[in-house]
């Protein structure tokens, strides 16, 4: 089953490869991954889409928690969440297709953000199904290039306890 | 006052109480070595190969319970030490490894002897650091020791570029460490512990399954109390040996692939398993789907990822073994009474029956070749009063040592369990000897595995580390040969070593002492002589080459289906082969 895992990490070099390395080293699959800094620039937020049975997801969450640079791991499937993905789609447009391209963009509340003599670049945001749908409709016009961000997701309610700084542990 | 990175490095080691480090120099760490040369507080043991240095640090850590420290150079120094780091990671050994790195200005330029040390070591360390600024060095070292020794211990790498070791900074050593993503859980959940105590006092056929985590957390006393309170039999994993006294009446010895018959049978037929600092390794569980079919499982471990990784657990308790057992014992003391012995009586009768039916055994013909088990048994009997530290390499001799050498206390057992690293034993023994100069440190090795690190004989001689190596010499990679006997129709693909060095002369070439015991009647005297010599010794014992290690659960097999001896066909084949080969091999060995 597909799970979306939201991870708060230290914003420093090498952290992404630790996370990616954990997945590859243990044979877990990453379907999409997106990262960006949070309000606190010392932390970054990662959204990972992965899949597996209950046992595998439990291991993924535990193994991620074990990584020292990871501050918090939340399996969003345990609560209600909203998720979005953005795609930039460059469509080949002959003169006679331009109106059709605009119409499709309009249906999906997508924006044309650039145009050249022979192309429109359309920006669309939504859940994965919506992105798939607009791609399907635009395909007959001739899609030249697509980039997708991968999913970002956020829980609808505040997630359990707020982040607290680590307790100071004195060493004997 | 400002100090250079190299001076800061040494100050930090002193603050951490490090007395000995295991090292091998190179270009980018010369500044650090130069400073080490000018001080007296930290002894530097110069290894001959970085892998040796790494295993020495592991041996030091396993014997002392403190972090072992090694220092290597960039590039090849780092790649050489990787095996030891991977070994330490698998066995949760607290090792802090410092590697040199090319100057920060050259990182990423494919400079001479440059390697991505952080990238190389990432999958086989608990954590690693690249120090880019000398101002961060002290706090990084503090964090490295903290991470290596707390929670589930493990190796940590600190990569120090050359310019960082030369630049200067104010020295401040932090008194405590705070890492927001790292907060190990030490105290177990009280409610869960209560559940465990209830299950335990009710169980009719319980068993304790003790792993290396019990050793690291120093839970021996608590284990003994728990076992005695509840009259529960104690199975130990390869890594857990010594956590519970081997000769204690409740000790069942080692379980798993080459564990005792009764230990495995008791595990399989138990109704309650209490795993303490053990991780249900595939060499213990055998076929997972048929593992302990009738048992409820309690699992105590400081590492939450170990719990429910391989098998279903009914009562998980995340916490430090010692603390959790203290609490469990406290609850049990209040509830259990004299009934426990009576309650467990049928269970113990069953176990005794298993013990009688298939004890550990071998046949020693007094005029024939020495049997490897006999060497271990005599070694044990002749040294047990001295409370020796025992290390092993990996292979048949390792399993025989685990079976026949009954350890009374923890931190006496140095062996490579998780990674199964041949060549581990000798340098690990040296690490332990460097920590305890006056103790008897034995290394049981095979003729195949010992050759993976014999260059360290030079280190042992130079640093006066009087480790005693016993080479169980059968002319084969014995465990490989055993598998080939059992599963590959006896085709000895690359397991017959053919020519090995004369180990007596090899020892002498390095300035150590070489001894040999070829006859059964020579063995005891040779062992006594070996112990009496205050120098590194190799005792070469040519043994019957075709002896196989039993019991054995074939890989992926089920725990109650053990092979207990050679099949009649195999026995016949081995006997006829044994008649020719040992003598042939002897001419090589005694030439």
């Amino acid at each position: 089953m597909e799970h979306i895992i939201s991870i708060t990490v230290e914003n420093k070099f090498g952290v992404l490869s630790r996370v990616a390395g954990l997945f590859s080293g243990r044979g877990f699959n990453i379907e999409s991954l997106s990262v960006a800094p949070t309000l606190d620039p010392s932390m970054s937020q990662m959204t990972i889409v992965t899949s597996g049975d209950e046992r595998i997801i439990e291991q993924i969450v535990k193994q991620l928690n074990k990584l020292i640079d990871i501050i918090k791991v939340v399996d969003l499937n345990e609560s209600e969440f909203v998720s979005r993905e953005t795609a930039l789609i460059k469509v080949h447009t002959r003169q006679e297709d331009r109106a059709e391209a605009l119409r499709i963009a309009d249906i999906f509340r997508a924006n044309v953000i650039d145009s050249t003599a022979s192309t429109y670049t359309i920006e669309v945001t939504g859940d994965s199904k919506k992105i798939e749908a607009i791609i399907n409709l635009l395909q007959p016009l001739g899609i030249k290039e697509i980039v997708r961000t991968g999913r970002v997701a956020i829980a609808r309610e505040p997630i359990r306890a707020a982040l607290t700084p680590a307790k100071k542990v004195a060493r004997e | 006052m400002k100090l250079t990175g190299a001076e800061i490095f040494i100050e930090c080691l002193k603050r951490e109480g490090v007395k000995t480090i295991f090292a091998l120099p190179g270009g980018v760490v010369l500044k650090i070595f130069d400073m080490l040369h000018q001080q007296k507080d930290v002894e530097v043991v110069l290894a001959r190969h970085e892998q040796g240095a790494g295993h020495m640090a592991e041996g030091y850590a396993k014997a002392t319970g403190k972090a072992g420290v090694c220092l290597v150079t960039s590039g090849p120094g780092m790649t050489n030490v990787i095996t030891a780091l991977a070994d330490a990671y698998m066995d949760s050994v607290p090792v802090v490894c410092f590697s040199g790195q090319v100057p920060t200005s050259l990182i990423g330029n494919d400079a001479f002897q440059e390697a991505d040390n952080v990238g190389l070591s990432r999958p086989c360390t608990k954590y690693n650091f690249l120090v880019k600024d000398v101002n961060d060095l002290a706090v990084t070292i503090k964090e490295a020791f903290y991470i290596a020794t707390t929670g589930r211990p493990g190796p940590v790498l600190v990569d120090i570029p050359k310019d960082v070791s030369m630049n200067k900074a104010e020295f401040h050593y932090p008194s405590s460490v705070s890492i927001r993503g790292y907060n190990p859980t030490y105290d177990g959940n009280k409610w869960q512990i209560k559940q465990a105590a209830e299950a335990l006092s009710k169980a009719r056929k319980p068993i304790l399954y003790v792993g290396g985590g019990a050793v690291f957390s120093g839970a021996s006393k608590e284990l003994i109390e728990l076992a005695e309170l509840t009259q529960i039999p104690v199975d130990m994993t390869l890594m857990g040996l010594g956590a519970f006294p081997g000769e204690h009446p409740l000790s069942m010895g080692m379980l798993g692939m080459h564990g005792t018959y009764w230990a495995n049978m008791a595990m399989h037929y138990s109704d309650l398993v209490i795993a303490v600092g053990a991780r249900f390794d595939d060499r213990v569980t055998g076929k997972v789907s048929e593992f302990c079919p009738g048992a409820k499982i309690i699992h105590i471990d400081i590492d939450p990822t170990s719990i429910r990784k391989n098998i279903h657990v009914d009562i998980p308790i995340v916490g430090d073994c010692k603390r959790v057992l203290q609490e469990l014992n406290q609850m049990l003391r209040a509830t259990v009474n004299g009934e426990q012995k009576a309650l467990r009586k049928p269970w113990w009768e069953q176990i005794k029956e298993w013990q009688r039916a298939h004890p550990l055994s071998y046949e020693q013909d007094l005029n024939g070749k020495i049997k490897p088990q006999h060497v271990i048994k005599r070694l044990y009997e002749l040294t047990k009063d001295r409370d020796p530290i025992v290390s092993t390499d990996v292979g048949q001799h390792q399993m025989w040592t685990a079976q026949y050498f009954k350890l009374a206390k923890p931190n006496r057992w140095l062996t490579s369990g998780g990674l199964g690293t041949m060549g581990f034993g000798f340098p690990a023994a040296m690490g332990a000897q460097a920590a305890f100069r006056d103790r008897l440190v034995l290394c049981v090795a095979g003729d195949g595995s010992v050759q993976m690190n014999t260059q360290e004989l030079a280190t042992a001689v130079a640093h006066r580390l009087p480790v005693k190596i016993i080479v169980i010499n059968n002319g084969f990679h014995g465990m490989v040969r055993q598998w080939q006997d059992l599963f590959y129709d006896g085709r000895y693909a690359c397991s017959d070593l053919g020519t090995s060095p004369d180990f007596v002369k090899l020892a002498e070439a390095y300035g150590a002492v070489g001894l040999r015991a070829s006859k059964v009647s020579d063995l005891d005297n040779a062992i006594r002589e070996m112990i009496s010599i205050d120098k590194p010794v190799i005792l070469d014992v040519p043994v019957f080459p075709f002896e196989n290690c039993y019991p054995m659960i074939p890989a992926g097999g089920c725990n109650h289906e053990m092979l207990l001896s050679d099949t009649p066909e195999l026995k016949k084949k081995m006997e006829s082969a044994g008649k020719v080969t040992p003598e042939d091999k002897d001419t090589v060995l005694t030439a």
Side-chain angles (χ1 to χ4, degrees):
Chain A
M1 188 190 158
E2 188 186 89
H3 279 249
I4 300 187
I5 296 172
S6 178
I7 314 168
T8 313
V9 301
E10 297 283 352
N11 183 9
K12 52 186 191 188
F13 72 92
V15 177
L16 178 60
S17 70
R18 281 181 208 278
V19 173
L22 185 150
F23 275 77
S24 65
R26 292 185 184 269
F28 306 139
N29 190 33
I30 295 180
E31 277 156 33
S32 93
L33 187 158
S34 60
V35 201
T38 62
L39 279 178
D40 176 348
S42 74
M43 295 192 280
S44 283
Q45 190 69 33
M46 283 188 189
T47 309
I48 291 185
V49 182
T50 184
S51 56
D53 59 26
E54 198 187 326
R55 203 181 58 87
I56 288 177
I57 298 297
E58 181 181 334
Q59 266 301 309
I60 289 176
V61 171
K62 280 177 170 178
Q63 294 285 356
L64 285 169
N65 260 315
K66 191 168 149 181
L67 290 184
I68 284 160
D69 288 323
I70 288 191
I71 299 161
K72 192 176 180 67
V73 182
V74 177
D75 178 0
L76 287 175
N77 289 43
E78 285 177 2
S79 58
E80 282 192 43
F81 64 93
V82 284
S83 83
R84 283 291 180 271
E85 181 176 358
T86 292
L88 300 180
I89 307 166
K90 196 183 288 167
V91 199
H92 180 74
T93 44
R94 282 163 302 219
Q95 196 59 44
E96 64 271 29
D97 291 337
R98 293 207 152 201
E100 174 68 2
L102 284 175
R103 198 157 41 238
I104 294 170
D106 202 32
I107 295 168
F108 286 89
R109 271 179 282 165
N111 302 316
V112 176
I113 55 169
D114 187 35
S115 100
T116 67
S118 61
T119 64
Y120 275 158
T121 298
I122 296 171
E123 172 213 38
V124 60
T125 296
D127 61 18
S128 300
K129 277 186 193 141
K130 177 176 167 186
I131 309 243
E132 299 293 336
I134 190 172
I135 289 171
N136 280 338
L137 284 179
L138 288 172
Q139 210 127 39
L141 305 183
I143 293 177
K144 301 195 112 177
E145 205 180 334
I146 297 181
V147 287
R148 295 170 71 163
T149 57
R151 263 175 287 171
V152 289
I154 197 162
R156 289 191 56 209
E157 298 281 334
I159 301 166
R160 285 174 234 135
L163 288 178
T164 46
K167 244 195 329 218
K168 293 235 173 195
V169 187
R171 281 200 72 202
E172 51 281 294
Chain B
M1 199 182 85
K2 288 196 165 186
L3 300 181
T4 63
E7 287 166 326
I8 290 172
F9 171 83
I10 288 160
E11 274 308 307
C12 293
L13 291 190
K14 284 191 208 164
R15 302 287 174 102
E16 288 295 329
V18 176
K19 296 268 183 290
T20 309
I21 69 169
F22 306 92
L24 211 153
V28 296
V29 279
L30 279 181
K31 179 76 181 168
I32 295 176
F33 273 85
D34 190 46
M35 292 316 300
L36 282 166
H37 185 70
Q38 295 176 44
Q39 56 82 49
K40 290 269 177 286
D41 299 299
V42 181
E43 183 199 13
V44 183
V45 173
L46 169 63
R48 262 49 176 181
H49 187 292
E50 286 88 351
Q51 188 192 350
H55 291 318
M56 286 175 211
E58 282 190 89
Y60 181 96
K62 284 190 176 189
T64 60
K66 294 185 204 147
V69 180
C70 57
L71 167 62
V72 301
T73 191
S74 58
M78 180 61 210
T79 54
N80 279 348
V81 84
I82 285 272
T83 305
L85 292 178
D87 189 273
Y89 190 47
M90 289 290 270
D91 286 348
S92 311
V93 188
V95 166
V96 178
C97 175
F98 294 95
S99 57
Q101 182 55 276
V102 300
T104 46
S105 57
L106 288 181
I107 290 177
N109 284 11
D110 299 332
F112 176 66
Q113 290 195 331
E114 183 189 354
D116 172 10
N117 293 354
V118 167
L120 279 166
S121 60
R122 187 176 300 125
C124 53
T125 48
K126 184 174 173 186
Y127 197 65
N128 56 20
F129 297 91
L130 166 62
V131 185
K132 282 178 157 176
D133 182 340
V134 66
N135 290 298
D136 299 335
L137 184 60
V139 65
T140 304
I141 294 176
K142 177 81 191 174
E143 287 182 356
F145 276 91
Y146 175 69
I147 292 171
T149 52
T150 53
R152 178 179 182 168
V156 175
L157 177 98
V158 182
D159 198 25
I160 306 176
K162 186 175 185 181
D163 52 330
V164 171
S165 69
M166 315 211 29
N167 292 346
K168 285 189 170 184
E170 280 298 336
F171 177 70
H172 297 291
Y173 203 59
S175 61
S176 68
V177 173
S178 167
I179 303 167
R180 57 184 165 182
Y182 178 67
N183 292 296
T185 308
Y186 292 101
D187 288 314
N189 179 300
K190 271 202 166 50
W191 190 81
Q192 294 286 77
I193 298 175
K194 194 155 164 274
Q195 297 288 305
E198 275 169 20
L200 189 53
S201 46
K202 274 188 232 142
R204 304 210 157 252
K205 300 187 288 178
I207 190 153
L208 253 168
Y209 156 46
V210 176
V215 177
F216 296 133
S217 83
S220 274
K221 209 179 106 231
E222 288 74 14
L223 271 176
I224 296 169
E225 190 188 347
L226 173 65
E228 287 175 351
L229 259 177
T230 56
Q231 290 297 308
I232 187 171
V234 182
D235 273 9
M236 281 171 275
T237 69
L238 179 66
M239 300 309 299
L241 292 173
F244 190 80
E247 286 200 338
H248 193 288
L250 299 174
S251 166
M252 311 276 284
M254 183 174 72
L255 83 164
M257 184 174 267
H258 291 287
T260 59
Y261 176 76
W262 58 92
N264 285 331
M265 292 298 273
M267 192 80 174
H268 186 80
Y269 289 104
S270 64
D271 63 357
L272 180 74
V273 173
I274 312 169
V276 181
R279 62 191 174 97
F280 295 89
D281 181 73
D282 53 275
R283 301 276 131 149
V284 162
T285 59
K287 197 175 189 176
V288 176
S289 59
E290 286 168 45
F291 176 71
C292 296
K296 204 172 186 173
I297 292 175
I298 302 170
H299 191 177
I300 305 167
D301 205 301
I302 197 158
D303 178 3
T305 63
S306 281
I307 292 173
R308 278 206 284 264
K309 185 163 68 178
N310 304 331
I311 57 133
H312 175 77
V313 173
D314 300 282
I315 307 176
I317 304 173
V318 177
D320 174 62
C321 294
K322 188 185 175 85
R323 290 203 208 173
V324 172
L325 289 185
Q326 274 169 349
E327 211 155 312
L328 182 62
N329 285 343
Q330 202 182 351
M331 287 181 194
L332 285 168
R333 270 196 300 266
T335 52
V336 303
N337 41 37
E339 292 161 15
Q340 296 284 318
K341 210 160 193 165
L343 183 69
R344 310 270 190 260
K345 203 168 165 247
W347 180 224
W348 273 104
E349 276 168 8
Q350 171 68 71
I351 289 168
K352 293 264 150 63
E353 202 178 303
W354 283 323
Q355 276 172 331
R356 270 192 302 273
H358 300 289
L360 282 178
S361 67
Y362 61 91
E363 287 163 29
Q364 179 61 65
D365 171 4
L366 291 178
N367 298 312
K369 290 295 266 181
I370 305 176
K371 285 289 177 75
Q373 299 95 320
H374 188 66
V375 184
I376 312 290
K377 190 155 171 275
R378 290 311 296 157
L379 186 67
Y380 169 60
E381 282 161 0
L382 292 170
T383 60
K384 65 176 170 184
D385 295 339
R386 307 227 352 211
D387 188 19
I389 294 171
V390 188
S391 84
T392 74
D393 263 326
V394 170
Q396 286 182 317
H397 66 274
Q398 176 189 30
M399 292 299 129
W400 281 315
T401 312
Q403 290 174 341
Y404 288 90
F405 210 106
K406 297 192 169 68
L407 295 146
K409 292 177 192 164
N411 301 104
R412 267 62 171 176
W413 177 241
L414 322 174
T415 199
S416 169
L419 197 66
T421 310
M422 286 165 67
F424 167 89
F426 175 38
M430 288 166 57
Q433 188 84 74
F436 299 105
R437 295 275 175 171
D438 301 329
R439 295 275 295 275
L440 174 62
V441 182
L442 303 169
C443 166
V444 182
D447 50 332
S449 53
V450 77
Q451 290 187 57
M452 287 208 175
N453 269 322
T454 42
Q455 78 285 348
E456 300 304 337
L457 273 164
T459 310
V461 170
H463 289 274
R464 300 175 195 282
L465 300 168
V467 168
K468 312 291 184 273
I469 309 171
I470 301 91
V471 177
I472 306 290
N473 190 343
N474 62 5
F476 280 103
H477 283 302
M479 192 59 93
V480 175
R481 201 220 67 237
Q482 175 165 347
W483 281 54
Q484 288 168 336
D485 277 338
L486 295 169
F487 312 119
Y488 293 87
D489 295 332
R491 290 184 298 278
Y492 296 155
C494 294
S495 60
D496 190 340
L497 285 165
T499 317
S500 281
D502 178 330
F503 288 104
V504 173
K505 287 185 179 162
L506 181 76
E508 285 165 358
Y510 280 103
V513 177
L515 301 172
R516 177 170 296 122
S518 303
K519 286 191 271 175
V520 184
S521 52
D522 296 343
L523 184 64
D524 283 15
N525 278 337
I527 292 173
R528 285 197 192 96
E529 191 185 348
M530 170 186 81
I531 300 167
S532 70
I533 297 169
D534 188 27
K535 271 184 160 187
V537 180
I538 294 185
L539 169 58
D540 179 32
V541 189
V543 296
F544 177 70
F546 295 103
E547 191 69 8
N548 284 336
C549 183
Y550 293 108
M552 177 178 185
I553 302 168
C558 195
N559 270 356
H560 65 298
E561 296 164 346
M562 281 158 273
L563 304 176
L564 293 163
S565 65
D566 289 332
T567 58
E569 307 87 70
L570 192 56
K571 218 174 242 171
K572 221 162 149 193
K573 191 181 153 208
M574 294 299 110
E575 271 163 16
S576 62
K579 268 175 200 142
V580 202
T581 325
E583 271 54 57
D584 293 349
K585 290 197 180 301
D586 239 15
T587 57
V588 177
L589 293 166
T590 51

